[in-house]
Amino acid sequence: MTAAINIEGVHKSFGKVMVLKGVDVEVPESNAVCLIGASGSGKSTLLRCVNLLEPVDSGRILVHGDDITSYDVDANRVRRRIGIVFQAFNLFPHMNVLENVTLGPRKALKTPKRDAQDRATELLTRFGLADKRHEYPDRLSGGQQQRVAIVRALAMEPDIMLFDEVTSALDPELVGEVLGVIRDLAQTGMTMLIATHEMGFAREIADHVCFLDQGRILEQGPPERIFTAPEEPRTQEFLRRIIEAGRM
Amino acid sequence: MATAVISTIVVFTAIGLAIVNSPGWPAVREAFLNGEVFRASFPDIARAFKLNVKIFLVAEAVILVFALGVAMLRSLPGPVFFPIRAIAIIYTDVFRGLPTILVITMLALGVPALQLTGVPVSAVFWATVGLILVYSAYVAEVYRAGIESVHPSQEAAARSLGLSRWQTLRYVIVPQAVRRVIPPLLNDFIGLQKDTALVAFAGPVEVLRQAGIDEAANFNFTPYVCTAVLFLALTIPMTRATDWLIERDRRKRAASGVG
C-alpha cells in the first residue's frame, strides 16, 4: 500500500549551510511518526519542505504517491491537503478566533461563509474553545492559541497534519492541553508527522520514531526500541542529555 | 510645570519685545497685519481655500487606494512578477525624485495643450493628478514599509492554508500593515494639505493665488497672513491627531508587550 508521505533523499541548503543531507522518511497512512533530535538538526526544515514552504534542492516528496516536489505541481492545492502547526502559533492577530479558523476554508476552498462558520464552531466545540470564538488571539493563553492554530489547520480537512515543535513556546503547565489535542487526533487515525522535544509524548504516541542528527536520519524504529535500546552512540548521547534535563 | 510656564512666558515675551521694538516694526505691522485688509480679503480667500480643501480631499481618497495598489504590486515575490515590481519601482523612483511643482506645471500646462479629444483640459484636474502621482509615490513607500514589517511567519501561516500569494497579501499582510502605518500616512497627508497651494502655479485661483490678487489690489501682504491662518486651522488639528494616534499606538504596544 502507498504510504501517506514518502520522503526520498531530500537535500536542502540555506546559502552555504546544508540543513538536510539526504533524508528518507516514510509515514504510512494513519500513522504518527515523530522526528526527534537536537535544535538545528533539520526537523523544522523537513516539515516546511513537506508543506512546500521551502523548495527542496534535490530528492522528492510523495504524498499518497503523487510527487509534490515536481515543478508543475500547484503548491496551493498541495497545501490544502496538508495542515501544519507552528511553534509560535502564527495566528492572525487582526482576526478573532472564528475568522482565523474560517479564512482558509472561505478563501482557499471557497466554502460559503455560513458553512465555514458552522464547521469551525463544531471543531472549536470539540476542542473546548467554543466560548473563545469571538476573542482575539492576544486575549488567549499560549495553550489556547496553539489549540486554535490546530483547529485552523484542521478546518481545511487535511489528510495529513504536520506539527513543528508545537509545545516548545508554551509554559510547562500548558503543554498538556495541546498534547491532549494531538493525542485525540491520533486516535481518529490522522496521519501525522511530528517534530517534538517531548520524548515522553513521542514514546507514547508515535508508531515510528526518527532521530535526526546534523541533517541525516541517524537511526529510526519503533519507539520502544529507540527509547530503550538505541544503537547509535549519538542517539544514546542525545537521550541521556534529555533525561538529565528532566524532559523524560 | 510651574517652571515650564515661567520659562515659556519669559522666552516668548523676550522674542515679542525684540520684534515689536525693532526699527522696521511699524512698517511691517502695517504691511502684514492690517486688520482692515484682513477683514476685507477674508471672504475671498476663504472661498478660494475651498478649492484647496476639495483638491486635498479628492487627492487623498485616490492616493489611499492607488498607493496601496502600487505597494502591493511591489511586494509580490518571485521572478514571475519581476516586470510588475520593476514598473512599481520606476514609478516611485521617478515621482519621488521630481519636484512636485514641476510635475504639476508640466501636467496642467502640457496635457491640455495636446488638445486630445476626450481628455480633460481643466488645469485643476491635471494639477490634482500631479499631486496624486507625487504623493502616491511617497505613500506607496510608507505602505511598503508596513507590509515588510509584518513577520514572515504570518505569510507562512497563510500560505500553509492554501491561500495564494495575492490572497495572503489581501487578507493577512495588508490589513496588519495598514494598521501600523496610519500615523506616518497622516503625516504625508499633512504635507499634501499644504502642497495644494502649489496648484496656484498652474493657474487656477486657489487660495495662494487669490491672496496674490488681493495683495496686488491693496499693496498689502496681510492676505498672505490670512492664508497662513487658514492652512494652520486645517493642518494643526490633523498634526495633533496624528501625534495622539502615534502615542496611543506606542502605549498599546507597550501594554501588550509586542513590538
Side-chain angles (χ1 to χ4, degrees):
Chain A
M1 188 185 148
T2 327
I5 311 174
N6 264 309
I7 300 170
E8 298 176 352
V10 163
H11 287 73
K12 174 71 190 174
S13 301
F14 293 104
K16 286 188 174 154
V17 186
M18 197 185 267
V19 182
L20 299 177
K21 302 168 185 166
V23 173
D24 299 277
V25 177
E26 189 185 301
V27 185
E29 194 72 47
S30 295
N31 271 29
V33 171
C34 281
L35 301 169
I36 61 170
S39 298
S41 59
K43 305 187 296 289
S44 292
T45 305
L46 185 60
L47 292 181
R48 292 174 68 91
C49 286
V50 176
N51 202 257
L52 301 181
L53 290 171
E54 302 288 352
V56 301
D57 294 340
S58 63
R60 54 181 203 158
I61 299 172
L62 308 180
V63 170
H64 301 301
D66 301 332
D67 183 357
I68 61 165
T69 44
S70 136
Y71 70 95
D72 59 350
V73 150
D74 179 350
N76 296 333
R77 284 178 80 99
V78 171
R79 293 197 189 98
R80 285 168 209 158
R81 296 163 58 194
I82 305 175
I84 185 165
V85 183
F86 303 93
Q87 180 174 347
F89 328 139
N90 300 0
L91 292 179
F92 307 128
H94 60 298
M95 297 182 182
N96 67 26
V97 167
L98 199 57
E99 290 163 341
N100 262 281
V101 175
T102 54
L103 181 72
R106 287 180 56 200
K107 302 305 170 189
L109 301 178
K110 310 286 178 209
T111 309
K113 187 172 176 183
R114 282 313 288 256
D115 297 354
Q117 285 182 339
D118 291 347
R119 173 86 186 112
T121 306
E122 209 176 286
L123 278 169
L124 289 166
T125 309
R126 179 173 145 204
F127 294 107
L129 292 159
D131 56 327
K132 304 288 179 199
R133 56 183 194 283
H134 299 298
E135 295 282 10
Y136 282 82
D138 61 359
R139 306 260 300 160
L140 303 178
S141 73
Q144 289 167 338
Q145 288 190 51
Q146 194 58 295
R147 279 149 60 205
V148 171
I150 294 173
V151 170
R152 180 174 71 178
L154 289 174
M156 295 295 290
E157 311 200 337
D159 313 326
I160 293 167
M161 285 286 283
L162 310 172
F163 292 91
D164 185 5
E165 294 183 28
V166 293
T167 57
S168 298
L170 295 175
D171 291 336
E173 75 272 19
L174 302 176
V175 168
E177 61 185 88
V178 172
L179 295 183
V181 170
I182 303 176
R183 203 174 280 128
D184 283 357
L185 284 178
Q187 276 158 11
T188 64
M190 176 64 80
T191 306
M192 298 189 286
L193 185 54
I194 304 167
T196 185
H197 284 302
E198 302 288 337
M199 296 305 148
F201 178 70
R203 188 172 182 172
E204 169 205 331
I205 196 175
D207 297 297
H208 194 79
V209 175
C210 301
F211 174 64
L212 254 96
D213 183 65
Q214 296 178 355
R216 289 195 178 84
I217 304 271
L218 202 59
E219 186 166 5
Q220 54 179 309
E224 309 82 58
R225 192 181 68 67
I226 297 288
F227 287 112
T228 53
E231 284 163 8
E232 294 289 332
R234 294 191 69 98
T235 319
Q236 296 164 1
E237 167 76 15
F238 173 74
L239 290 172
R240 186 165 61 244
R241 269 198 247 128
I242 293 279
I243 291 166
E244 277 167 13
R247 297 293 289 270
M248 194 166 111
Chain B
M1 181 64 193
T3 322
V5 170
I6 292 165
S7 73
T8 307
I9 291 171
V10 169
V11 169
F12 279 88
T13 313
I15 294 172
L17 285 174
I19 292 172
V20 172
N21 290 318
S22 63
W25 171 245
V28 168
R29 188 181 55 185
E30 178 52 31
F32 283 90
L33 300 168
N34 185 315
E36 216 168 289
V37 175
F38 191 99
R39 275 189 295 279
S41 59
F42 187 82
D44 276 356
I45 287 181
R47 203 174 307 123
F49 191 60
K50 276 193 210 146
L51 178 60
N52 293 68
V53 174
K54 214 162 100 185
I55 291 171
F56 164 70
L57 289 176
V58 170
E60 184 185 69
V62 178
I63 289 165
L64 274 173
V65 177
F66 178 57
L68 181 60
V70 173
M72 285 170 83
L73 292 179
R74 195 169 170 178
S75 301
L76 286 173
V80 186
F81 296 109
F82 178 76
I84 291 174
R85 283 202 301 275
I87 292 169
I89 290 169
I90 291 168
Y91 162 71
T92 49
D93 281 7
V94 166
F95 282 95
R96 280 189 305 162
L98 286 172
T100 313
I101 191 162
L102 205 63
V103 176
I104 288 174
T105 42
M106 286 204 311
L107 280 176
L109 303 178
V111 180
L114 292 174
Q115 301 184 335
L116 294 167
T117 44
V119 174
V121 292
S122 147
V124 173
F125 177 85
W126 286 106
T128 308
V129 170
L131 279 174
I132 289 169
L133 286 174
V134 171
Y135 270 86
S136 291
Y138 284 100
V139 172
E141 289 300 285
V142 170
Y143 276 132
R144 192 167 69 95
I147 287 172
E148 285 177 2
S149 77
V150 177
H151 198 272
S153 62
Q154 287 287 307
E155 186 181 349
R159 298 304 303 277
S160 78
L161 292 172
L163 265 61
S164 67
R165 285 190 164 130
W166 181 257
Q167 288 174 324
T168 300
L169 262 178
R170 163 78 182 75
Y171 298 108
V172 176
I173 311 294
V174 166
Q176 296 183 56
V178 168
R179 280 176 180 76
R180 291 181 197 184
V181 298
I182 285 172
L185 273 186
L186 289 177
N187 220 10
D188 276 348
F189 285 140
I190 293 166
L192 174 64
Q193 285 180 341
K194 299 186 302 179
D195 279 359
T196 55
L198 295 175
V199 172
F201 293 89
V205 182
E206 53 68 68
V207 72
L208 186 67
R209 201 170 185 84
Q210 181 65 47
I213 293 167
D214 288 6
E215 182 252 324
N218 297 301
F219 303 109
N220 190 290
F221 294 106
T222 307
Y224 287 125
V225 175
C226 187
T227 304
V229 169
L230 283 173
F231 269 111
L232 287 179
L234 193 67
T235 53
I236 285 184
M238 188 138 159
T239 314
R240 292 290 98 227
T242 306
D243 280 1
W244 177 76
L245 273 177
I246 293 171
E247 178 59 22
R248 195 187 65 165
D249 194 46
R250 198 187 60 75
R251 273 202 310 266
K252 226 164 59 186
R253 276 163 198 243
S256 65
V258 290

